[in-house]
Amino acid sequence: MKKRKLKKEPFILLGIILFCFLALLLIFALFKHYTSYEYKLGKIGYDDAEIAYIVKLDKKYIDYALKKYDRFLIPLTKQKYLIWSKYDDYLAYIKKTYKSNSINYKDVIAKVNTKTNYDFYTHTLETDMDKGYGILVNKYYYLPDKYEPKDIVSMSNSYAYPNNSIKEKVYEAFKEMSKKAKEDGITLIVNSSYRDYNSQKRIYEQYEDKKGQKYADSVAARPNFSEHQTGLALDIFTPGAGMKNFEGTDAFKWLSKNAYKYGFILRYPKDKESITGYDYEAWHYRYLGKDLATKVFNSGLTFDEYYAYYLDK
Ligand SMILES: [Zn+2]
């Protein structure tokens, strides 16, 4: 009897250990399930496909999703240029703008990032002058009052119509570009360039006196809000072509293909009026330096969008 008992004990002990182990495993599995993102997101109302997508996102998006059901989260996070700190603004813009379900998310991102979800000349900020050639000046970002750039030099008649001047570095870049264009049989000529605060003010006020602020805003920039005041913008034409027909010229085609190589970008492209705040201007080029101009060109974004996503840090 004594011998048999001794034989049984180790098995009982083993059984108990095994049972405890399995019980622990079960508790652990249950705990893991009920605390998993999948379970919690499902509880909140996300379906399986949504959950599978969300759990692969950055933790900040998961944390957000865990707080509430938001049907805009997935389509918005699929947008390359989403800026998380502006997320509430995207939602507010969607709510205000779209009454149906067909939402242009790309446009939502572009509008909010560039502040064009707000009326022009509202929510304005003094621009960050530390950005150098990459400063942003538009209807939301203005120059320090009466800003005057340094190194303004006058342009010779071989490159510009009379009375044009520009920042020296921009002039050098334009000359280099102009010479290269010439080799391809293209003549570039600058029609308008640096405009100081007072002349921009005069231009704007003439329109304003004639037809009021709304009209003036539609045809001219307010002083301190004009890119021409930076000394980094040029209106480039070719002899015999003006605003109406410049787009159809070989000079325009050449610039569209090559300007970025010399540091210039087309600043107000076609079909981007609602983002840039300006009508399409085939002739208005902005100097950014070769490196930045190449990046902006390759991104396919307007400078306003590029700045919001990549430079406004
Ligand atoms: Zn211009």
Side-chain angles (χ1 to χ4, degrees), residues 14 23 33 35 54-57 75 133 170 178 207 234 260:
L14 207 68
H33 173 72
T35 56
I54 292 168
V55 294
K56 283 188 210 132
L57 291 175
Y133 295 122
V170 183
S178 194
Y207 288 124
L234 293 172
Y260 77 92

Short mmCIF file of all heavy atoms in Angstrom, two decimals, residues 14 23 33 35 54-57 75 133 170 178 207 234 260:
data_model
loop_
_atom_site.label_atom_id
_atom_site.label_comp_id
_atom_site.label_asym_id
_atom_site.label_seq_id
_atom_site.Cartn_x
_atom_site.Cartn_y
_atom_site.Cartn_z
N LEU A 14 2.07 16.38 -10.96
CA LEU A 14 2.26 16.75 -12.36
C LEU A 14 0.95 17.26 -12.97
O LEU A 14 0.90 18.25 -13.70
CB LEU A 14 2.77 15.53 -13.13
CG LEU A 14 3.61 15.86 -14.36
CD1 LEU A 14 4.94 16.48 -13.94
CD2 LEU A 14 3.87 14.58 -15.17
N ALA A 23 -4.51 26.64 -17.18
CA ALA A 23 -5.41 27.69 -16.70
C ALA A 23 -4.77 29.06 -16.90
O ALA A 23 -5.42 30.01 -17.37
CB ALA A 23 -5.74 27.46 -15.23
N HIS A 33 -6.75 38.78 -25.62
CA HIS A 33 -7.85 39.05 -26.55
C HIS A 33 -8.62 40.32 -26.17
O HIS A 33 -8.83 41.20 -26.99
CB HIS A 33 -8.79 37.85 -26.58
CG HIS A 33 -10.02 38.10 -27.38
ND1 HIS A 33 -10.00 38.18 -28.76
CD2 HIS A 33 -11.31 38.34 -27.02
CE1 HIS A 33 -11.21 38.43 -29.20
NE2 HIS A 33 -12.03 38.55 -28.17
N THR A 35 -7.79 42.77 -24.35
CA THR A 35 -7.03 44.03 -24.31
C THR A 35 -6.42 44.33 -25.69
O THR A 35 -5.73 45.32 -25.84
CB THR A 35 -5.88 43.97 -23.27
OG1 THR A 35 -5.06 42.85 -23.61
CG2 THR A 35 -6.40 43.85 -21.86
N ILE A 54 -6.25 49.75 -39.64
CA ILE A 54 -5.86 50.65 -38.54
C ILE A 54 -4.68 50.11 -37.72
O ILE A 54 -3.77 50.86 -37.38
CB ILE A 54 -7.08 50.94 -37.61
CG1 ILE A 54 -8.11 51.79 -38.37
CG2 ILE A 54 -6.64 51.68 -36.34
CD1 ILE A 54 -9.46 51.91 -37.69
N VAL A 55 -4.70 48.80 -37.42
CA VAL A 55 -3.64 48.27 -36.55
C VAL A 55 -2.25 48.35 -37.18
O VAL A 55 -1.24 48.23 -36.48
CB VAL A 55 -3.91 46.80 -36.09
CG1 VAL A 55 -5.14 46.75 -35.20
CG2 VAL A 55 -4.05 45.87 -37.29
N LYS A 56 -2.22 48.59 -38.48
CA LYS A 56 -0.91 48.74 -39.14
C LYS A 56 -0.42 50.19 -39.15
O LYS A 56 0.69 50.48 -39.57
CB LYS A 56 -1.00 48.22 -40.58
CG LYS A 56 -0.99 46.71 -40.66
CD LYS A 56 -0.88 46.26 -42.11
CE LYS A 56 -1.58 44.93 -42.33
NZ LYS A 56 -2.46 44.94 -43.49
N LEU A 57 -1.28 51.09 -38.69
CA LEU A 57 -0.92 52.51 -38.71
C LEU A 57 0.01 52.87 -37.56
O LEU A 57 0.20 52.09 -36.62
CB LEU A 57 -2.19 53.38 -38.60
CG LEU A 57 -3.14 53.39 -39.79
CD1 LEU A 57 -4.39 54.20 -39.42
CD2 LEU A 57 -2.48 53.98 -41.03
N PRO A 75 -9.80 57.04 -44.91
CA PRO A 75 -9.52 57.77 -46.16
C PRO A 75 -8.53 58.91 -45.97
O PRO A 75 -7.70 59.16 -46.84
CB PRO A 75 -10.88 58.29 -46.60
CG PRO A 75 -11.81 58.06 -45.48
CD PRO A 75 -11.24 56.97 -44.64
N TYR A 133 15.81 81.38 -49.35
CA TYR A 133 15.16 81.35 -50.67
C TYR A 133 13.85 80.56 -50.62
O TYR A 133 13.08 80.59 -51.57
CB TYR A 133 16.09 80.75 -51.72
CG TYR A 133 17.32 81.60 -51.96
CD1 TYR A 133 18.59 81.08 -51.78
CD2 TYR A 133 17.19 82.93 -52.35
CE1 TYR A 133 19.71 81.87 -51.98
CE2 TYR A 133 18.30 83.73 -52.55
CZ TYR A 133 19.56 83.19 -52.35
OH TYR A 133 20.66 83.98 -52.55
N VAL A 170 19.41 85.88 -57.91
CA VAL A 170 18.34 85.51 -58.84
C VAL A 170 18.71 85.97 -60.26
O VAL A 170 18.46 85.26 -61.23
CB VAL A 170 17.00 86.15 -58.40
CG1 VAL A 170 15.85 85.72 -59.31
CG2 VAL A 170 16.69 85.80 -56.95
N SER A 178 18.86 82.01 -69.16
CA SER A 178 18.60 82.74 -70.40
C SER A 178 19.60 82.33 -71.50
O SER A 178 19.23 82.14 -72.67
CB SER A 178 18.72 84.22 -70.09
OG SER A 178 18.20 84.97 -71.12
N TYR A 207 -6.38 100.20 -57.73
CA TYR A 207 -7.51 99.28 -57.99
C TYR A 207 -8.58 99.45 -56.93
O TYR A 207 -9.77 99.47 -57.21
CB TYR A 207 -7.04 97.83 -58.00
CG TYR A 207 -6.21 97.45 -59.20
CD1 TYR A 207 -4.93 96.93 -59.05
CD2 TYR A 207 -6.71 97.58 -60.50
CE1 TYR A 207 -4.17 96.55 -60.16
CE2 TYR A 207 -5.96 97.21 -61.61
CZ TYR A 207 -4.69 96.70 -61.42
OH TYR A 207 -3.94 96.32 -62.51
N LEU A 234 10.01 86.65 -60.79
CA LEU A 234 10.16 87.29 -62.10
C LEU A 234 8.97 86.96 -62.98
O LEU A 234 8.52 85.82 -63.00
CB LEU A 234 11.42 86.75 -62.80
CG LEU A 234 12.79 87.08 -62.21
CD1 LEU A 234 13.87 86.29 -62.95
CD2 LEU A 234 13.08 88.57 -62.29
N TYR A 260 13.27 74.69 -63.52
CA TYR A 260 13.69 74.19 -62.20
C TYR A 260 15.18 73.91 -62.14
O TYR A 260 15.80 74.02 -61.08
CB TYR A 260 12.89 72.94 -61.82
CG TYR A 260 13.32 71.68 -62.51
CD1 TYR A 260 14.27 70.84 -61.93
CD2 TYR A 260 12.80 71.33 -63.75
CE1 TYR A 260 14.69 69.68 -62.57
CE2 TYR A 260 13.21 70.18 -64.40
CZ TYR A 260 14.16 69.35 -63.80
OH TYR A 260 14.57 68.22 -64.44
#
